[in-house]
Amino acid sequence: MVLAEVIVTFIATLIIIYTYYKYVLLSYWRKKGVFYVEPVVPTGNIGSLITSKVSFDEFFYDLYVKYKDHRAFGIYIFFKPSLVITDPDLIRVVLTKEFKNFHNRGIFSNEKVDPLSANLFALSGKKWRNLRVKMTPTFTSGKIKQMFAILKICGKELVNSLNSVAQAGDRIEIKDWFGRYTTDIIMSIAFGVQSNCIKEGDNEFRYWGKKIFELHPFWRALSAFAPQVLNFFSIPIIDRGVTKFLTKTFRNNVEYRQTHNIVRHDFMNLLIQLMEKGYVEPEDINDIDKSPSTNINRLTFLQAAAQAFVFFAAGFETSSTTATFCLYELAQQQDLQDKLRNEIDEILKKHGELTYNAVNEMTYLHKVINETMRKYPPIPFLNRICTEEINLPTTNIHVPKGMTISIPILGLHRDPSIYPDPDKFDPERFNEDKLASRHHYAYLPFGEGPRVCIGARFGYIQTKVGLVNLLSRFKFNLDPRTTVPIISDPKSSVLAAKDGIYLTIKIRN
Ligand code: HEM
């Protein structure tokens, strides 16, 4: 009798919770008269995401394909209403025109619980603005030119290590090799350490680098869409081991340089300037008086370490992904591979060696990389959070403070009405006339507006140097083990092939 009562009470409670969830909590968009995707209890629209049935790129791509004609529509992250925007004009409003209302990403950042999360990517409001102003001089072409020697060394190392594999005409998993190459570069320029990943393959630097991205989809979804939950329970999002390892590496090398008065032209040197002076020294000594005169606002050690961390996290996987997909496509189209190799040969011959200017003269290479990031944007969607309520111009949508807005980049990049025959890899899409005929906000591999990727220039150059080195020495073919088209990895934070990308590599004739 008692058991029966307990069961009845339990079922009644469940029905009440379900009814409240479905008809009260999940009624926001219906009441507002805004088109929305039908949610389910309790995950809203993100059930497939948090159970890893689909990847983030597939999730937003599907939404884009099905509902893009609505220009903007509602979804639910659990019971939290959120907006997806597909129209390039509205995207421009959010990313640029009304930036003051959308200046944060709304992802997890908590200096106390998780010191490395206080980085440029995750910070919000004034803290972000102050830091962005300080960091901008770090990424000028002059500063990047000074770091070119390191890129060259790592590029050469990559070729040397692949030589014996190529002589045997063997198969390689190319993403792993590019990951080792970009890890060595960023470890050198942001942490001042020679990580030797190209030579050693699976050492501790590579281990911790991979660990950064090994986040369960549930935690990744929480960090991206509901960081308040992590904040409330003081849950760090960055693996403790990663924090310990990278902080220690950064500290050791900063102290070594300070003790021995070592100055190298790299990101670490610029971060040391931000810690010691509060600003980055201008390249031209004549500009010294124009630099900010205040000595206050210096970065603390942990603040600087957080920026080294984000250079690593944002810089190595995105560039290695781009280089990987580029060779994946070129392996399938030998004529394009030859065309690019011819350009590389010609310009290297003209300059006598690989220089910063030589790489920047390779215009076909630039188009090939842009087309790669169109078809495979490493970060397949953007997020913003509304920081001040606003009526979204040209719609009937009122966006309240705190609402998340998502922009499905992959959907835009593969939209046949913007890019005809979108599955075709065609670098000529980036000819001047084609570029001019497209909406500027229909191509967003680096995002846009004041929060656009600060490292884009560096991302381009390290991707290009890797490719120039490999293509001038080797020929690549697709190994039958690699799927065409790729199957997206639901566990990866960036766009990635689930089973890797295998190519055969041969010394060129
Ligand atoms: C091909 C390479 C790269 C791609 C595709 C890429 C892509 C992106 C994207 C899509 C964003 C978000 C932009 C937005 O929300 O509007 C971003 C932000 C950012 N990226 Fe990159 N990135 C690349 C390379 C790099 C490199 C090499 C670094 C550093 C060394 C870097 C550092 C950052 C930082 C710090 C932010 C946050 C900027 C801010 O909020 O102020 N990225 N990146």
Side-chain angles (χ1 to χ4, degrees):
M1 189 63 187
V2 176
L3 182 66
E5 272 172 21
V6 170
I7 291 173
V8 168
T9 314
F10 180 69
I11 291 173
T13 313
L14 276 188
I15 291 172
I16 290 167
I17 292 174
Y18 178 85
T19 311
Y20 179 75
Y21 208 116
K22 184 156 174 73
Y23 297 103
V24 180
L25 292 181
L26 297 180
S27 67
Y28 180 89
W29 290 119
R30 185 169 35 84
K31 282 187 189 148
K32 296 284 176 193
V34 172
F35 178 84
Y36 63 96
V37 185
E38 199 57 55
V40 294
V41 178
T43 48
N45 299 102
I46 64 162
S48 56
L49 251 190
I50 56 178
T51 52
S52 293
K53 276 204 190 113
V54 296
S55 55
F56 270 76
D57 52 277
E58 284 168 328
F59 175 75
F60 281 110
Y61 178 74
D62 284 351
L63 287 177
Y64 182 93
V65 170
K66 284 185 190 144
Y67 309 111
K68 75 157 187 165
D69 289 342
H70 294 278
R71 300 176 64 225
F73 53 88
I75 59 168
Y76 290 90
I77 313 294
F78 295 102
F79 55 82
K80 205 175 138 215
S82 167
L83 197 63
V84 179
I85 297 186
T86 54
D87 174 55
D89 282 330
L90 289 179
I91 294 173
R92 189 206 310 258
V93 167
V94 170
L95 295 184
T96 306
K97 276 191 181 163
E98 304 296 343
F99 178 73
K100 64 179 189 324
N101 300 68
F102 299 101
H103 54 254
N104 294 340
R105 286 205 177 84
I107 58 171
F108 177 77
S109 173
N110 186 325
E111 210 162 341
K112 286 197 190 99
V113 176
D114 207 351
L116 299 190
S117 71
N119 62 59
L120 194 63
F121 193 88
L123 279 173
S124 52
K126 274 205 180 108
K127 282 188 180 168
W128 165 76
R129 159 95 6 243
N130 288 340
L131 195 61
R132 176 92 191 194
V133 170
K134 277 184 199 304
M135 305 276 291
T136 300
T138 310
F139 290 90
T140 60
S141 51
K143 294 271 193 279
I144 289 173
K145 212 170 173 175
Q146 291 175 337
M147 300 178 209
F148 193 74
I150 296 168
L151 302 189
K152 242 178 117 170
I153 293 169
C154 293
K156 221 169 173 181
E157 187 102 26
L158 184 62
V159 169
N160 291 343
S161 295
L162 279 171
N163 244 331
S164 52
V165 191
Q167 262 153 7
D170 274 350
R171 174 174 74 192
I172 55 169
E173 202 288 295
I174 190 68
K175 175 85 186 284
D176 182 54
W177 281 95
F178 277 129
R180 286 153 66 177
Y181 160 75
T182 51
T183 301
D184 275 356
I185 291 175
I186 306 211
M187 270 297 145
S188 171
I189 58 174
F191 288 83
V193 65
Q194 222 179 317
S195 55
N196 281 332
C197 292
I198 298 175
K199 276 192 193 143
E200 294 169 5
D202 246 346
N203 64 19
E204 56 179 349
F205 292 96
R206 192 76 181 115
Y207 172 81
W208 292 113
K210 284 183 192 163
K211 195 91 185 154
I212 296 175
F213 296 98
E214 279 173 17
L215 197 57
H216 189 280
F218 177 78
W219 295 113
R220 201 173 327 128
L222 267 191
S223 160
F225 300 123
Q228 308 85 340
V229 178
L230 298 173
N231 259 322
F232 184 80
F233 292 105
S234 292
I235 302 171
I237 199 74
I238 300 167
D239 181 276
R240 286 280 185 225
V242 169
T243 303
K244 215 169 142 195
F245 177 75
L246 291 182
T247 311
K248 191 173 131 214
T249 307
F250 189 67
R251 185 184 297 283
N252 288 348
N253 291 295
V254 167
E255 283 173 3
Y256 184 80
R257 283 194 186 186
Q258 286 174 329
T259 315
H260 297 87
N261 280 327
I262 293 171
V263 176
R264 262 177 67 189
H265 292 297
D266 58 12
F267 285 142
M268 174 172 251
N269 179 44
L270 303 171
L271 290 172
I272 291 175
Q273 290 178 14
L274 288 172
M275 279 190 277
E276 291 177 347
K277 303 187 175 115
Y279 61 88
V280 168
E281 280 170 11
E283 279 137 47
D284 185 345
I285 199 75
N286 296 320
D287 289 342
I288 202 88
D289 291 334
K290 294 176 207 153
S291 60
S293 57
T294 100
N295 258 4
I296 53 163
N297 266 337
R298 293 177 188 147
L299 294 193
T300 64
F301 168 78
L302 276 179
Q303 284 167 341
Q307 309 328 309
F309 163 77
V310 83
F311 291 172
F312 183 43
F316 100 85
E317 191 78 341
T318 44
S319 300
S320 62
T321 298
T322 306
T324 297
F325 282 123
C326 183
L327 285 192
Y328 170 69
E329 285 291 340
L330 295 181
Q332 292 170 68
Q333 295 199 56
Q334 292 294 324
D335 51 334
L336 299 190
Q337 192 180 137
D338 290 341
K339 184 172 174 181
L340 179 54
R341 191 176 289 107
N342 287 343
E343 178 186 77
I344 293 170
D345 285 351
E346 211 172 280
I347 293 178
L348 286 184
K349 195 168 162 204
K350 180 178 151 199
H351 285 257
E353 59 171 334
L354 181 62
T355 62
Y356 181 80
N357 291 343
V359 176
N360 284 324
E361 237 175 74
M362 297 177 183
T363 48
Y364 189 63
L365 173 63
H366 194 66
K367 287 183 210 169
V368 168
I369 289 181
N370 281 341
E371 174 65 347
T372 305
M373 290 190 293
R374 176 197 66 83
K375 209 171 161 190
Y376 309 97
I379 300 186
F381 74 101
L382 300 177
N383 257 16
R384 291 292 185 271
I385 198 153
C386 177
T387 41
E388 202 182 309
E389 62 173 332
I390 184 173
N391 289 322
L392 204 57
T394 72
T395 71
N396 64 342
I397 304 174
H398 173 81
V399 189
K401 191 175 166 178
M403 179 172 279
T404 306
I405 289 106
S406 300
I407 299 164
I409 303 183
L410 186 66
L412 281 163
H413 286 193
R414 296 211 190 157
D415 183 336
S417 70
I418 305 173
Y419 299 96
D421 199 1
D423 293 335
K424 182 174 174 205
F425 183 83
D426 178 12
E428 310 302 332
R429 294 181 201 273
F430 288 86
N431 291 346
E432 289 291 323
D433 55 330
K434 296 262 173 60
L435 270 173
S437 69
R438 278 194 302 265
H439 198 298
H440 182 71
Y441 284 73
Y443 184 65
L444 298 168
F446 294 106
E448 249 309 339
R451 283 206 89 143
V452 67
C453 173
I454 199 170
R457 207 180 259 139
F458 193 81
Y460 269 122
I461 198 82
Q462 69 174 344
T463 307
K464 287 177 180 178
V465 169
L467 288 168
V468 166
N469 270 289
L470 292 195
L471 287 166
S472 57
R473 180 90 182 120
F474 307 120
K475 279 194 89 153
F476 295 91
N477 282 86
L478 202 63
D479 184 84
R481 202 172 145 169
T482 307
T483 53
V484 178
I486 60 147
I487 299 165
S488 189
D489 183 358
K491 295 207 171 79
S492 172
S493 307
V494 295
L495 189 69
K498 190 162 165 258
D499 302 309
I501 291 192
Y502 291 86
L503 306 176
T504 51
I505 176 170
K506 280 193 199 127
I507 309 267
R508 63 181 286 201
N509 299 325

